[in-house]
Amino acid sequence: MKGFGITSAVVAVGLHLITSVLADVDPIIIKGNKFFYKTNGTEFFIKGVAYQQDIGANGSSTTNVNYKDPLTDVDGCKRDIPYLQQLSTNTIRVYAIDPTQDHSQCMQALQAAGIYLIADLSAPNNSINRDSPNWDVNLYNRYTSVIDSLQQYNNVIGFFAGNEVSNNASNVDAIPFVKAAVRDMKAYVKQKNYRSIGIGYASDDDATIRTNLEDYLNCGDPSTSIDFFGYNIYSWCGHSSFQQSGYQQRTQELQGYPVPAFFAEYGCNTEGNRTFEETGTLYGSQMTGVWSGGIVYMYFQETNNYGLVTVSGSSVSKLPDFTALSSQIAKVTPSSVNAASFNPTATSARSCPTTGTDWQAATPLPPTPNGNLCGCMVANLTCVAKTSLSSDDINTQFGFVCDPANGDNCVGFQHYGNNGSYGAYAGCNATDQLSWAFNQYYQSQVAGNPGNTQACGFGGAASTQSPGAPSGTCSSLLQQAGSAGTGVVTSVPSGTGSGSGTSGSSTASKSGVAGQLTIPNFNFGLLQLGAYVTVAAMAGAGMVLL
């Protein structure tokens, strides 16, 4: 199939001229359950396209941690923006960016085209893993670095703190960690005095958890609640209807939801080439009172066959799905309200679901990761883990030192999303947590035998040091944590951005779907200890970056 007849040279010149005289785009704000343009108050409906190659989205796990950040590919942006405009696109979703790279040229080109961005905060190797969830300094630093990188652009609508992290009733204990991430990123945006930028979540369409999940993410203190709700839904396949597809029921479920909701992914392809008949319904009168549009999955053609175009170098060829979407989206004219005259009727938060057999996610949330706390803790230990340990070495050592037969050495960093029990050091990285456990074991051994010189051996995995004399903030942090590490630390990071604190820079990491370590939760018997002594598998959530 031939590509659209616009040469790369013409596109490049046009975008250069546009970005050279770029006027800042009007930010999108949230009022009640709707999005609005900040300046003129016009309601904003997302007409979006997912835009990232080889990221393992749409329900598939990925071992590809060397993802390509599409917002650093200037030539790709110049190539693709005209095609996105033909689809009436006003929003793209990007699943993982590299916060160390420059995004200015692509973001300005998108801005000039009137295209906004919703970005996931995680990455394939750095996300909340549904099978071994945690919220630690490494993840905290990853998430804040993405915010730091993109907050300067007024065409950023907001960020997803998680994507399909829990996808059935067996792993909803991961959701408290997502909600903790939402809480901390909202706090971080305020601490940094950034403009108001929403933090949300993208859920899959699982019948066993969706209602409880919607309620949980919106219940309780507003500072911990999502600012918008994304729904990855593929239930309208081929020729269907508002009723048959389940859209009617989903709309009824979210009636009165107090924050904006939209389709974070949609476009079922099980019936062959997609006709996108659902587009008219999504932007029609039956749904626009509840839903603020949606994001079609996805721009690039890949092995999963969801693409709108094929790309080869500077050449773009439209697929039948592109033509169908272009035709359908051009017909939509959603009825809207103006922000000035809109009075939200849904202002009350949902009630938190009862924790039990059907919903094993506790209301209490994990503590805010605090690199200063972790660094202070390690500096004041006598027996510490060597920073040169490999991931396998660390997991093996956890298998010994966290065995209940050897004492309660690891309660200081326990993290139970199902019952809301969290140690003060639950947010520290694996090496720091291992140091804490080593020192707890060491102290118990030398207490009855001060001459025990082997207590800090651990097969060469640990060494002794002269502990510091904590004072000031450090002393206060350690007092709050308590001698057993089970206290509540009320101090939070100062909002200095990525890399704050010492813990985040340690050699080992336990973060993410492709993360290196599975840190034990200790809610098992002795014979089960061997089950977790493995490198973390690619099961997790969010990446699935999905």
Side-chain angles (χ1 to χ4, degrees):
M1 183 182 294
K2 290 185 178 180
F4 183 70
I6 298 179
T7 66
S8 297
V10 172
V11 173
V13 171
L15 286 176
H16 174 73
L17 291 174
I18 291 172
T19 55
S20 296
V21 294
L22 182 64
D24 215 6
V25 71
D26 197 11
I28 302 301
I29 62 171
I30 295 171
K31 182 179 181 182
N33 69 330
K34 294 182 180 294
F35 293 112
F36 296 95
Y37 289 98
K38 181 178 181 179
T39 301
N40 62 22
T42 301
E43 186 173 356
F44 180 84
F45 290 93
I46 293 171
K47 298 177 182 177
V49 175
Y51 184 74
Q52 188 156 15
Q53 290 178 287
D54 301 321
I55 200 61
N58 190 40
S60 59
S61 299
T62 178
T63 57
N64 178 23
V65 298
N66 297 313
Y67 61 89
K68 181 179 180 180
D69 180 349
L71 300 182
T72 63
D73 182 3
V74 179
D75 290 337
C77 290
K78 292 176 180 178
R79 175 196 65 208
D80 295 330
I81 285 176
Y83 296 93
L84 292 169
Q85 290 177 305
Q86 290 178 59
L87 295 170
S88 302
T89 303
N90 64 12
T91 306
I92 61 171
R93 178 182 178 183
V94 172
Y95 293 88
I97 70 140
D98 181 351
T100 68
Q101 300 300 309
D102 176 41
H103 302 98
S104 59
Q105 292 191 61
C106 275
M107 289 301 294
Q108 289 170 356
L110 290 166
Q111 222 174 139
I115 297 175
Y116 291 79
L117 171 70
I118 297 175
D120 290 60
L121 294 172
S122 55
N125 62 337
N126 220 352
S127 62
I128 298 171
N129 184 329
R130 67 168 70 103
D131 290 335
S132 180
N134 66 295
W135 175 235
D136 68 4
V137 290
N138 298 309
L139 284 170
Y140 182 94
N141 288 343
R142 159 71 196 183
Y143 282 30
T144 55
S145 68
V146 173
I147 292 175
D148 288 340
S149 176
L150 295 177
Q151 57 78 29
Q152 62 189 295
Y153 305 108
N154 277 354
N155 58 331
V156 173
I157 295 175
F159 303 98
F160 284 129
N163 185 77
E164 298 188 4
V165 176
S166 294
N167 61 1
N168 61 62
S170 71
N171 52 42
V172 296
D173 61 332
I175 287 298
F177 298 88
V178 174
K179 195 167 181 179
V182 171
R183 173 201 64 202
D184 293 342
M185 294 307 99
K186 291 176 67 168
Y188 182 77
V189 168
K190 290 183 179 180
Q191 287 173 341
K192 297 287 286 185
N193 292 317
Y194 293 150
R195 67 178 176 86
S196 179
I197 307 174
I199 309 294
Y201 177 76
S203 171
D204 79 331
D205 183 25
D206 184 86
T208 65
I209 65 172
R210 59 187 169 214
T211 302
N212 280 334
L213 179 65
E214 292 159 6
D215 292 347
Y216 184 85
L217 291 171
N218 181 250
C219 74
D221 191 320
S223 67
T224 70
S225 299
I226 55 172
D227 296 314
F228 52 78
F229 183 73
Y231 202 65
N232 299 343
I233 182 168
Y234 293 85
S235 61
W236 186 308
C237 301
H239 300 294
S240 190
S241 68
F242 180 55
Q243 294 79 16
Q244 182 182 350
S245 65
Y247 280 21
Q248 182 181 41
Q249 186 177 357
R250 303 291 82 74
T251 301
Q252 291 171 347
E253 288 169 355
L254 284 173
Q255 191 75 42
Y257 205 64
V259 300
F262 57 92
F263 288 2
E265 290 176 9
Y266 77 96
C268 171
N269 69 352
T270 60
E271 303 296 317
N273 291 337
R274 296 179 286 180
T275 60
F276 289 106
E277 295 174 10
E278 69 266 43
T279 303
T281 301
L282 175 59
Y283 295 93
S285 59
Q286 293 174 305
M287 297 187 68
T288 52
V290 171
W291 302 95
S292 296
I295 299 171
V296 170
Y297 187 84
M298 91 104 60
Y299 183 77
F300 298 98
Q301 176 70 318
E302 295 178 321
T303 56
N304 59 15
N305 205 35
Y306 278 92
L308 300 174
V309 302
T310 59
V311 173
S312 178
S314 61
S315 175
V316 177
S317 296
K318 300 177 190 176
L319 296 172
D321 285 7
F322 183 103
T323 303
L325 178 60
S326 177
S327 174
Q328 294 287 358
I329 200 74
K331 299 175 187 177
V332 304
T333 55
S335 58
S336 60
V337 297
N338 190 273
S341 59
F342 175 59
N343 294 310
T345 57
T347 57
S348 299
R350 296 285 180 98
S351 297
C352 292
T354 302
T355 305
T357 303
D358 295 332
W359 181 254
Q360 298 185 36
T363 302
L365 303 180
T368 300
N370 189 328
N372 293 325
L373 167 68
C374 301
C376 182
M377 176 267 286
V378 172
N380 287 278
L381 301 177
T382 301
C383 180
V384 296
K386 292 182 177 179
T387 57
S388 59
L389 293 178
S390 69
S391 301
D392 287 343
D393 290 338
I394 292 175
N395 272 320
T396 299
Q397 293 300 329
F398 274 130
F400 170 78
V401 75
C402 292
D403 184 338
N406 292 320
D408 295 329
N409 303 312
C410 299
V411 294
F413 51 89
Q414 65 182 355
H415 45 288
Y416 298 136
N418 61 346
N419 65 19
S421 297
Y422 308 102
Y425 302 114
C428 298
N429 71 23
T431 306
D432 293 352
Q433 290 178 345
L434 185 60
S435 291
W436 170 262
F438 277 173
N439 194 72
Q440 290 292 102
Y441 177 84
Y442 170 80
Q443 295 294 347
S444 69
Q445 296 299 304
V446 300
N449 183 10
N452 185 353
T453 60
Q454 302 300 315
C456 190
F458 298 100
S463 61
T464 58
Q465 65 177 15
S466 298
S471 60
T473 301
C474 182
S475 177
S476 176
L477 289 171
L478 294 180
Q479 287 178 12
Q480 292 176 49
S483 60
T486 55
V488 176
V489 178
T490 57
S491 300
V492 296
S494 59
T496 54
S498 57
S500 62
T502 59
S503 184
S505 60
S506 297
T507 301
S509 166
K510 61 176 174 60
S511 57
V513 172
Q516 299 174 352
L517 300 175
T518 302
I519 302 303
N521 265 341
F522 323 120
N523 54 346
F524 41 57
L526 180 60
L527 295 179
Q528 294 173 285
L529 282 167
Y532 74 80
V533 186
T534 56
V535 177
M538 284 298 309
M543 297 289 218
V544 188
L545 257 184
L546 316 177

